[in-house]
Structures are given as C-alpha cells and as structure tokens.
C-alpha cells in the first residue's frame, strides 16, 4: 500500500486504494449508519423548506461531500459531523418568522456565513481558547441545556403530530437508543459481553431495526421500493437555495444569526478539544500511526466548509468538526492494530464510504430508507437532548448556579436569540455569582 499523499499547505488529499486501504468492516457499517444519518434532514427539507424529495437528497449529498472533505481533502483526523446542539436553536429561529422557503434559505445562508467568518477570525487570531475560557461555565451550561430543551420541545410539542402518527415506532426507537447509549446496566454488560459490545458499536442501527420491525407490524411504517437510479437535480436545487439564485440575505438576517453562531462556536470548540483528547488517549496504542492536530488549521477548514455550504446548499449547522459516536467507534477499531485498521484516516474515511456518493443515486436504497428518515431526525434530536441535559447539569455546581443555568436556558428557548443572550447575561451579572471571577480577572 502506497502511503504518500498529495500535500499542499492547507490541503492533504487522501484517496482510497492509492493512499488508503479499504477497511471493509467500517465501510459496511458506514454505508448503513452514515447514510441513514446523512438523510435525516430530508423530511424537514421537503415539508418545511419546499424542496422535492429528489432535491432534498441532492442537498444531503452535497452536505456529505463537504463533511468527508474534512478528512479526505484536508487530512483532518476527526470524524466530522453536525454541530448537533445548535440544530434545535436553528429550527426554532427558522420557525419563528421566516415563512417562505426563500426566506428560510436566506437565513440559513446568513447563519452559515456568520459562522464561517467567526471561525476564520478565530483561526487567524488564535483567540478561540481565550474566548471560550472567558465565557462563564454556567453560561456555557445554559446554552447546552437550552439546546436540550429546544430539542425536547421540537419532538414533543412542535412536531407532536408527527410523533402521534407513529407512537410505537418513535417510542421503541427512543427506548432502544436510551438502553444502548445511556442505561448503566447495559454499559456494564457491554464490557463483559462481545454481543452487547457489537450491538453498541452499531450506533443507531439496532434502534432502526427494532423500530422498523415493530413499526411495520403496527402498520405505522410502509415501504414502497422503487427501482432505477436517481439523477440528482442539482440545477433545480441551486435555483431554490443558492444565494446567487435567490439573492443574498439582508443585513438584519446576519445580525439575527450572530447569537446562534456564537453559541455554535462554543460547542464547536468543545468538540475540537474532545476529539483531540480522544485521540491523545489512544495514541499510545498506535505509535506507528502518529496523529498531528492543529486547532488553528481545523478552524480554517471548518470556515471553508461552511462558506462553501452557504453558497451551494445552505443548511446550518451540518458542517461541524466531530461526530463523537463515529470517532469513538473508529478509534476502538484503530487501537486493535494495523492489521485491523491501517491508519486512523483510512478508518474514518471508510466509515464515510470514502466520500463516494454512489448510494445517493440508487433508488431502491433511497426509497427503502425513506420511511426511516423522520425517525433519523427525531433520534438525532432525542440523543442530543439527553446528552446535552446530562452534560449541562454535570457542568454546574450548587443549586444557585443550576437555577441560573435553567433560567438562561429557558430564555434562549422561548425568546429571540438576542433577547435570550442579553437578558441572560444581565441576569447572570446581577446574580452576583461572577463577582469573584471578575475580581480575579
């Protein structure tokens, strides 16, 4: 296997077979899990954003290509993914006053460009860590808890009709995910049982299988398989979503999107640190495959991806830096040795099926997965809500700090982002909990 790859400054291109060994185990898992997750936004794009099924698939394909470019074009050793905790805030904002599909996509463009500019600024100034350290811990926890509450609100209130249409399917899927990801007894059992460990390594797939079987038996899911190939209508998509076709957003859109861009950045920086720490913990097992991390370069790569998304297929926040579940899954395989996974980049690339969008063209696969797409979005929001709730309460200490966190989180969920941030900051300062912190600074 030839390991040399084309490097040119920012770019560090890795191609399958030429630079990367085909890791079949991760490749097959990725075809199922990554593809299902990539298509999670399709129902939302068709129902709320006015796209056809084919156009929504084309947008998902573009998002996937941008995500995989993080690894295969720029050579970053992180399994890129959505900035998921920001998604509930974005959905609340879009639903709050943007009625036409054009307005919604213009707001998505503004959010993406705001975020691209912010990450670019943090890259060239190297102020990312100082900015994140400057934000009080309870305020960070409030943003994370706000994401959790927004996700719960989306599932059980805003989309209550969708949940009510498939109660058995959704409930069993959530139960399966909760058992696999969070039930303490199962976490203990998977350390002792290879079967349970294998089930856990499949991520969302077991939940899809359980929901699919029982949802079909309960007549909540129906399958209509179509044969043939889908030709992505990229031109039609461009005419409906690109700012060069529908017009660039007005200045007020950019101003409205700034609070969410800042909140998303806090999550992004945390993801960068988490990904780096996950690799650092495992590096000793693979001295033959040294991994280099450059946080400033990662900022720049994320900025480029969000800028490209803004002009090609704007939907914030799909261009983040870490899909933690995929990163952990690949790392666990990577530490088993070179015979299992040749390199970390080859493992991550395999899980993202090497960025080859062939599955987006095969109608039998797409139409089979179509009934699962609303389920994929709901599970994404549910897991985000549970994980963020747990993290937020672990970040805060004492009843007073938790109370402040809860109040600010509620302000962020039920009011305009600027109102939530300004009133939340004022409340936090007036509470007196920052006195010692500011004196120290």
């Amino acid at each position: 296997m030839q390991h040399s790859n084309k490097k040119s400054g920012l770019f560090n291109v890795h191609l399958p077979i030429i630079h990367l060994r085909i890791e079949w185990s991760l490749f097959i898992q990725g075809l199922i899990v990554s593809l299902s997750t990539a298509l999670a936004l399709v129902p939302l794009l068709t129902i709320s954003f006015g796209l056809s099924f084919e156009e929504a698939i084309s947008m998902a394909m573009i998002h996937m290509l941008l995500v995989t470019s993080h690894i295969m074009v720029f050579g970053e050793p992180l399994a890129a993914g959505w900035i998921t905790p920001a998604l509930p805030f974005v959905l609340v904002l879009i639903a709050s006053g943007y009625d036409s599909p054009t307005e919604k996509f213009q707001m998505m463009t503004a959010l993406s460009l705001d975020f691209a500019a912010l990450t670019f600024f943090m890259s060239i100034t190297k102020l990312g860590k100082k900015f994140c350290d400057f934000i009080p811990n309870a305020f960070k926890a409030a943003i994370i808890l706000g994401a959790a509450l927004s996700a719960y609100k989306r599932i059980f209130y805003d989309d209550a009709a969708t949940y009510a249409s498939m109660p058995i399917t959704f409930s069993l899927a959530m139960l399966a995910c909760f058992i696999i990801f969070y039930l303490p007894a199962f976490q203990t059992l998977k350390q002792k049982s290879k079967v349970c460990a294998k089930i856990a390594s499949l991520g969302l797939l077991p939940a899809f299988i359980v929901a699919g079987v029982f949802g079909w038996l309960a007549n909540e899911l129906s399958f209509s398989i179509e044969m043939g190939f889908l030709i992505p209508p990229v031109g039609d998509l461009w005419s409906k979503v690109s700012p060069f076709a529908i017009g660039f957003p007005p200045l007020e859109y950019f101003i409205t999107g700034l609070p969410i861009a800042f909140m998303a950045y806090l999550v992004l920086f945390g993801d960068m640190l988490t990904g780096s720490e996950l690799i650092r913990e495992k590096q000793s097992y693979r001295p033959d495959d040294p991994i280099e991390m450059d946080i400033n370069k990662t900022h720049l790569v994320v900025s480029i991806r969000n800028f490209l998304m803004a002009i090609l297929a704007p939907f914030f926040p799909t261009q983040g830096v870490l899909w933690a579940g995929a990163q952990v899954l690949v790392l666990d395989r990577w530490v088993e040795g070179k015979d299992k996974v040749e390199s970390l980049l080859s493992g991550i690339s395999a899980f993202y099926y090497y960025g080859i969008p062939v599955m987006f063209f095969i109608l039998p696969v797409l139409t089979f997965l179509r009934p699962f797409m609303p389920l994929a979005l709901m599970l994404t929001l549910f897991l985000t809500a549970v994980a963020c709730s747990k993290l937020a309460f672990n970040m805060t200490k004492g009843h007073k700090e938790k109370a402040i966190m809860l109040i600010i989180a509620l302000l962020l969920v039920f009011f305009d982002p600027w109102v939530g941030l300004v009133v939340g900051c004022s409340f936090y300062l007036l509470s007196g909990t920052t006195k010692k912190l500011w004196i120290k600074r």
Side-chain angles (χ1 to χ4, degrees):
M1 179 68 60
Q2 182 181 347
H3 296 288
S4 60
N5 54 301
K6 186 174 179 58
K7 297 182 180 181
S8 179
L10 179 66
F11 301 99
N12 189 357
V13 178
H14 290 76
L15 300 175
I17 300 177
I18 299 175
H19 307 125
L20 302 169
R21 188 177 76 185
I22 304 298
E23 312 290 354
W24 290 106
S25 174
L26 291 170
F27 177 73
I28 293 170
Q29 288 187 62
L31 281 177
I32 300 170
V33 179
S34 295
L35 182 62
S36 300
T37 306
L39 298 174
L41 289 178
V42 168
L44 185 66
L45 292 169
T46 55
I47 295 172
S48 301
F49 285 78
L51 298 184
S52 68
F53 177 73
E54 293 77 12
E55 291 165 347
I57 292 293
S58 301
M59 178 171 271
M61 180 184 71
I62 293 172
H63 291 165
M64 185 276 295
L65 291 171
L66 289 173
V67 166
T68 54
S69 72
H70 192 80
I71 305 105
M72 301 189 64
V73 176
F74 299 102
E76 290 287 291
L78 297 178
W82 298 357
I83 312 172
T84 314
L87 179 61
F89 289 124
V90 173
L91 297 181
V92 169
L93 174 65
I94 294 297
S96 65
Y98 302 91
D99 298 324
S100 70
T102 296
E103 291 176 329
K104 292 177 179 179
F105 281 117
Q106 285 182 328
M107 188 66 238
M108 286 295 188
T109 299
L111 282 166
S112 302
L113 290 176
D114 278 346
F115 193 70
L118 178 59
T119 49
F120 179 76
F121 175 78
M122 293 298 183
S123 172
I124 61 175
T125 61
K126 302 181 181 180
L127 289 177
K129 187 176 187 304
K130 291 182 179 179
F131 172 75
C132 291
D133 289 343
F134 179 78
I135 304 298
N137 204 50
F139 206 91
K140 295 177 189 175
I143 292 172
I144 294 172
L145 181 62
L149 296 177
S150 294
Y152 284 129
K153 179 175 176 287
R154 180 79 189 187
I155 296 170
F156 298 112
Y157 182 77
D158 298 336
D159 288 345
T162 303
Y163 189 94
S165 67
M166 297 189 293
I168 295 175
T169 304
F170 283 142
S171 298
L172 286 177
M174 286 193 294
L175 179 61
C177 279
F178 185 81
I179 290 172
I180 293 171
F181 288 98
Y182 298 109
L183 189 68
F186 186 84
Q187 305 308 311
T188 302
L189 192 59
K190 74 179 185 180
Q191 304 297 328
K192 303 176 181 178
S193 168
K194 290 184 178 180
V195 174
C196 291
K198 185 63 177 177
I199 292 173
S201 71
L202 295 176
L204 295 177
L205 183 58
F208 277 96
I209 294 174
V210 170
V213 171
F214 287 96
W216 179 72
L217 292 174
N219 293 320
E220 292 181 356
L221 292 179
S222 59
F223 298 89
S224 178
I225 310 300
E226 299 178 21
M227 305 308 293
F229 297 92
L230 181 142
I231 306 301
V234 177
D236 294 337
L237 177 68
W238 173 273
S239 67
K240 289 185 177 181
V241 306
S242 173
F244 288 105
I246 64 175
F248 279 83
L251 179 61
E252 64 185 76
Y253 282 34
F254 289 97
I255 296 173
T256 301
L258 279 175
I260 290 180
F262 279 109
M263 289 188 285
Y265 178 75
L266 290 175
V267 177
L268 177 85
F269 193 83
D271 284 345
M272 290 182 190
L273 297 181
T274 299
S276 299
E277 184 62 21
L278 287 171
I279 293 173
R280 188 192 66 79
E281 289 179 350
K282 305 291 187 181
Q283 181 66 82
S284 61
Y285 294 93
R286 290 295 303 271
D288 61 297
D289 183 26
I291 305 300
E292 297 180 4
M293 284 290 299
D294 183 345
I295 293 295
N296 291 316
K297 178 192 172 185
T298 303
H299 275 82
L300 187 55
V301 170
V302 171
S303 176
I304 293 171
R305 286 168 49 214
N306 277 273
F307 175 78
L308 292 174
M309 177 182 66
I311 61 176
L312 296 174
F315 200 101
F316 186 77
T318 59
Q319 299 302 314
V321 76
L322 182 68
W323 179 3
Q327 187 77 22
V328 170
L329 189 151
V330 174
L331 283 172
D332 286 345
R333 188 78 172 166
W334 178 62
V335 299
E336 293 179 5
K338 190 173 182 178
D339 58 324
K340 300 294 184 182
V341 174
E342 184 178 46
S343 69
L344 182 58
L345 285 177
S346 72
I348 298 174
S349 300
F351 195 79
Y352 285 79
Y353 37 92
Y354 302 103
I356 302 172
V358 63
M359 302 304 290
F360 289 87
F361 303 110
I362 303 176
L363 268 178
V365 174
L366 296 174
T367 51
F368 172 75
L369 291 175
R370 191 171 189 172
F372 292 102
M373 292 176 190
L375 182 64
L377 178 59
M378 187 275 295
L379 287 180
T380 299
L381 292 171
F382 175 70
L383 291 174
T384 298
V386 176
C388 288
S389 300
K390 183 179 177 182
L391 176 60
F393 280 95
N394 287 338
M395 288 174 66
T396 51
K397 299 177 182 179
H399 297 301
K400 188 174 182 179
E401 200 170 62
K402 292 183 188 297
I404 294 171
M405 171 191 70
L406 180 59
I407 292 171
I408 297 175
L410 290 171
L411 288 169
L412 292 172
V413 172
F414 292 104
F415 293 92
D416 181 89
W418 273 114
V419 174
L421 280 182
V422 172
V423 177
C425 286
S426 302
F427 182 82
Y428 192 89
L429 292 172
L430 291 173
S431 70
T433 58
T434 57
K435 183 177 180 181
K436 292 182 179 179
L437 179 64
W438 290 113
I439 290 174
K440 182 179 178 181
R441 287 175 176 167

